[in-house]
Amino acid sequence: MGLLEFQSRFPEDRECYEYLKKIRFPREFLCPRCGSSASGSIITRDLWQCKGCRAQVSVTARTMFHRTRTSLRHWFWTIFLVAKDKRGHSALQLSKELNIPYNRAWLMLHKIRAAMAYRDKLYQLDGTVEMDEAYFGAPDPGRKGRSTRRVKALVAIGLTEDNRPRFIKIQTIKRLDARCVKGFAISQIAQNSTIRTDGLHVYRCLANLSFSHDATVASGKAKGDLLHWVHIIVSNAKTFVTGTFHGLGEKHIQRYLDEFCYRFNRRHREAELFDRLLLACATALPITYDELT
Ligand SMILES: [Zn+2]
């Protein structure tokens, strides 16, 4: 969908409400309170009365669009622009495009990133998974390797049978220790998967969990070939994070990494991205400014 087509499909809030209704309740109305599908009378275009529990349910209830100062049409435009721009969309760009204050644009984009993260948390990697650590943020001269003050993260990539990447996960961590490695692996990788790592001591704990651990000690060129995909994806993630969001606060780096992963995991479904993102925003738990900052 191009800009002109988008503009003519969603000229006013009304068209956005109708579309959101279709995305949220594709078959029939389902009461989020009692689960009844006995849809009562539609009071306004945005409000049903449930016949089961008499609750009045709006199409935006329990979505991040509910009772925000931003019109649904502005949300639609934001999601459309984010879905369209592979390199990611900055708050400065968005505030100019929609003529809204920078802070509001920033908040909307972070809410969308939170919805992306919420969506990806529903899935675990499985099969053969490459795992490694990575460092993000400005260089920290004088401190090498794991003593760096840069943001540390664990990266995992689920591979296809012919050793190509399928899905990825990136999680920032406070320090690289066995507790973080275990927590990351248990939450992000399905039991009985095979996890490939380098020979670093901290990964040995994986063998004690319900994974099969394939650790390879390598040096020189062999080290570069080992965990081939992790290295490529980390380098792309760094470009994404620093390219669009110059000098971003390290505090929010996880959200940018969440966006990177969400996009990567749906790279073959670009045409559906607007609908998928809209659904993600309609189903993720609403998040407040305080929770974001
Ligand atoms: Zn109900």
Side-chain angles (χ1 to χ4, degrees):
M1 202 176 0
L3 294 176
L4 287 176
E5 193 190 339
F6 187 83
Q7 161 70 4
S8 63
R9 271 186 81 180
F10 302 108
E12 302 289 343
D13 272 355
R14 186 161 48 88
E15 288 78 10
C16 302
Y17 276 109
E18 290 305 323
Y19 197 70
L20 184 62
K21 214 185 280 181
K22 261 190 234 160
I23 292 277
R24 263 197 99 183
F25 307 119
R27 278 172 213 93
E28 56 187 356
F29 166 81
L30 259 188
C31 175
R33 199 163 110 184
C34 72
S36 166
S37 63
S39 141
S41 47
I42 294 169
I43 300 172
T44 68
R45 65 166 187 264
D46 180 30
L47 209 61
W48 289 271
Q49 182 147 39
C50 169
K51 277 190 180 160
C53 69
R54 313 282 307 155
Q56 293 194 344
V57 180
S58 84
V59 70
T60 56
R62 302 192 191 197
T63 76
M64 68 171 61
F65 313 120
H66 198 47
R67 291 193 184 139
T68 61
R69 280 178 303 165
T70 307
S71 72
L72 199 53
R73 190 162 157 259
H74 276 82
W75 273 112
F76 266 52
W77 266 106
T78 303
I79 291 168
F80 173 70
L81 293 168
V82 166
K84 229 178 144 37
D85 195 344
K86 275 188 215 173
R87 296 158 306 157
H89 223 67
S90 73
L92 189 63
Q93 253 174 309
L94 185 68
S95 70
K96 285 180 187 163
E97 283 160 335
L98 298 189
N99 195 22
I100 54 175
Y102 174 86
N103 285 351
R104 193 183 304 177
W106 185 92
L107 187 58
M108 289 169 80
L109 289 174
H110 271 298
K111 284 185 172 187
I112 292 172
R113 289 182 193 113
M116 290 172 164
Y118 182 82
R119 206 71 197 164
D120 263 356
K121 274 201 186 112
L122 303 174
Y123 309 101
Q124 283 189 312
L125 305 178
D126 60 1
T128 302
V129 177
E130 282 190 353
M131 183 166 158
D132 203 3
E133 70 279 3
Y135 303 94
F136 292 90
D140 186 12
R143 287 181 181 230
K144 286 212 169 136
R146 282 186 288 159
S147 71
T148 181
R149 283 168 297 189
R150 300 168 75 191
V151 177
K152 301 167 191 68
L154 286 167
V155 181
I157 303 172
L159 299 175
T160 60
E161 277 174 15
D162 57 348
N163 265 325
R164 301 190 63 81
R166 288 177 72 211
F167 301 112
I168 61 170
K169 303 272 189 183
I170 307 180
Q171 176 70 56
T172 57
I173 49 174
K174 283 246 157 54
R175 62 190 72 79
L176 183 61
D177 60 15
R179 202 173 67 92
C180 287
V181 167
K182 276 187 197 168
F184 176 73
I186 290 169
S187 63
Q188 312 287 2
I189 303 171
Q191 293 185 4
N192 302 320
S193 300
T194 299
I195 305 181
R196 282 184 199 157
T197 67
D198 58 23
L200 204 64
H201 189 270
V202 73
Y203 294 117
R204 287 189 196 166
C205 63
L206 292 170
N208 303 329
L209 304 169
S210 44
F211 303 111
S212 122
H213 182 211
D214 176 5
T216 309
V217 182
S219 58
K221 187 184 176 299
K223 197 171 178 186
D225 293 343
L226 186 70
L227 307 176
H228 170 68
W229 284 112
V230 170
H231 299 145
I232 291 177
I233 280 160
V234 166
S235 144
N236 290 348
K238 284 182 182 170
T239 308
F240 179 82
V241 165
T242 49
T244 318
F245 314 102
H246 306 281
L248 67 106
E250 294 192 342
K251 197 173 155 192
H252 298 293
I253 208 161
Q254 179 67 55
R255 297 214 182 273
Y256 295 92
L257 293 170
D258 289 340
E259 177 175 352
F260 175 81
C261 291
Y262 181 92
R263 286 178 184 280
F264 185 90
N265 292 339
R266 286 154 193 79
R267 65 200 177 283
H268 302 309
R269 300 178 176 274
E270 262 169 46
E272 302 161 31
L273 210 53
F274 172 73
D275 280 359
R276 283 173 175 264
L277 209 43
L278 194 60
L279 182 68
C281 294
T283 48
L285 294 174
I287 187 165
T288 65
Y289 183 79
D290 287 345
E291 287 168 312
L292 277 173
T293 54

